[in-house]
Amino acid sequence: MSRSLVVEEPRRSRLVVGDVPEPGPGEALVRVAAAGLCGSDRELFEGARPAGFCAYPIVPGHEWSGTVAGVGPDVDEALVGARVVGEGFRGCLVCGPCRNGAPNLCASGYDETGFTRPGAFADHLLVPARLLHVLAPDADLRAAALLEPAAVIAAAVRHAALRPGETAAVVGAGTLGMLALQLLAAASPARLAAIDPRAERGEPALAAGATVFHRPGEAAEESFDVVVETAGAPGTGHAAVALARRGGRVVVTGIPGDPSDAVPTALLVTRALTLHTVFGAGPADWAYAVRAFDSGVLRPAGLVTHELPLADFEKALALSASPGAGKVLLRPDAT
């Protein structure tokens, strides 16, 4: 038998028990090891996701890791037993963005595991085998559950193109910010600042690779070659642009809760800044993150603070929003 946590409608969930699903042509059946919660899962549960970016009833869970338990027709049986993570976006494969390596921007519309397709808050997950990324045989699956947010940050870091000796700042020292610090530190910047209002984030940020930690307003404006925004909090987009020097690069990953929270166009133009934004991750970003994880450059294990069983989904959601929590995982094998 296989259990799934189903959000039937906003603010109503239940644990459902059914048969283990059978993989169809081109599919792989994954035994889920761990699945992470993030703000978008809270939005899904609370009914705050924008129209077109969710479907009910739904099994959430887009950040996950596991082991291939079976494959369908036309899939290499050598995959069985492999430790894997997987991309979430189900691109059409024929539109311009998909053919250009960006199924996260598919012209046919939004379609993603855990939001419009059954996700990983379950014992088992069915996914197209083409979306899987195979990890090292001894990979830590608990840590690997963070490779989905790591892939998003990999997209940001690839856009930022930090060169050795340049200066960089990361606005926000949550999970995304810590992952960004780890990847940016690998480029040997002359200075790598972490910026966050929570003083208690300073020590973890330094451990992740930051050379200095600042509270908002403490870092000098116009002083960084690269700024990566990861918080999506009020004013963080504006702050990221203000921190960038003339000719610098800014990458924004967070979606502010206030739609009127504007990025200052005047600074973008007068400083001739390059501005990138990130929505999800494409295959190349996933490959980048997996390589960094397998090589030890990316070290997400220390960001996990809590692990709970599937039945504690709503408790885990509340915990993930608490000030002292890092990454919260649901573990199907936990009791």
Side-chain angles (χ1 to χ4, degrees), residues 45-179:
F45 180 71
E46 294 167 0
R49 294 278 289 178
F53 286 84
C54 61
Y56 300 95
I58 190 69
V59 178
H62 60 288
E63 306 178 6
W64 59 269
S65 64
T67 303
V68 177
V71 296
D74 305 321
V75 179
D76 189 350
E77 292 186 2
L79 270 177
V80 176
R83 298 187 178 204
V84 295
V85 291
E87 300 171 34
F89 289 97
R90 311 291 186 92
C92 71
L93 303 183
V94 297
C95 71
C98 282
R99 290 184 178 274
N100 200 36
N104 49 314
L105 305 179
C106 179
S108 295
Y110 173 80
D111 192 9
E112 185 179 7
T113 299
F115 297 106
T116 59
R117 301 289 186 105
F121 292 169
D123 287 319
H124 296 90
L125 173 67
L126 276 180
V127 292
R130 62 181 173 81
L131 298 180
L132 296 179
H133 290 259
V134 177
L135 306 174
D138 59 349
D140 177 359
L141 290 178
R142 172 180 172 272
L146 278 74
L147 281 174
E148 191 278 340
V152 174
I153 286 302
V157 169
R158 294 178 69 228
H159 282 307
L162 181 67
R163 295 181 286 269
E166 289 189 314
T167 58
V170 175
V171 179
T175 298
L176 290 177
M178 295 298 183
L179 294 170

Side-chain angles (χ1 to χ4, degrees), residues 304-330:
V304 178
T305 57
H306 300 82
E307 302 172 56
L308 289 82
L310 284 176
D312 286 348
F313 165 67
E314 294 187 25
K315 177 182 176 181
L317 272 184
L319 185 60
S320 69
S322 63
K327 178 58 66 175
V328 177
L329 299 180
L330 288 180

Side-chain angles (χ1 to χ4, degrees), residues 161-261:
L162 181 67
R163 295 181 286 269
E166 289 189 314
T167 58
V170 175
V171 179
T175 298
L176 290 177
M178 295 298 183
L179 294 170
L181 289 169
Q182 291 182 12
L183 290 180
L184 289 170
S188 301
R191 179 164 53 112
L192 178 55
I195 299 169
D196 196 282
R198 300 164 292 181
E200 66 274 14
R201 305 307 292 165
E203 186 174 341
L206 295 173
T211 59
V212 63
F213 177 80
H214 294 300
R215 305 285 290 279
E218 292 179 348
E221 293 190 359
E222 201 173 349
S223 60
F224 295 95
D225 297 295
V226 164
V227 184
V228 177
E229 187 280 331
T230 67
T236 55
H238 189 291
V241 172
L243 289 166
R245 65 158 178 82
R246 288 193 168 193
R249 289 100 68 198
V250 179
V251 186
V252 177
T253 70
I255 301 174
D258 182 356
S260 67
D261 190 11

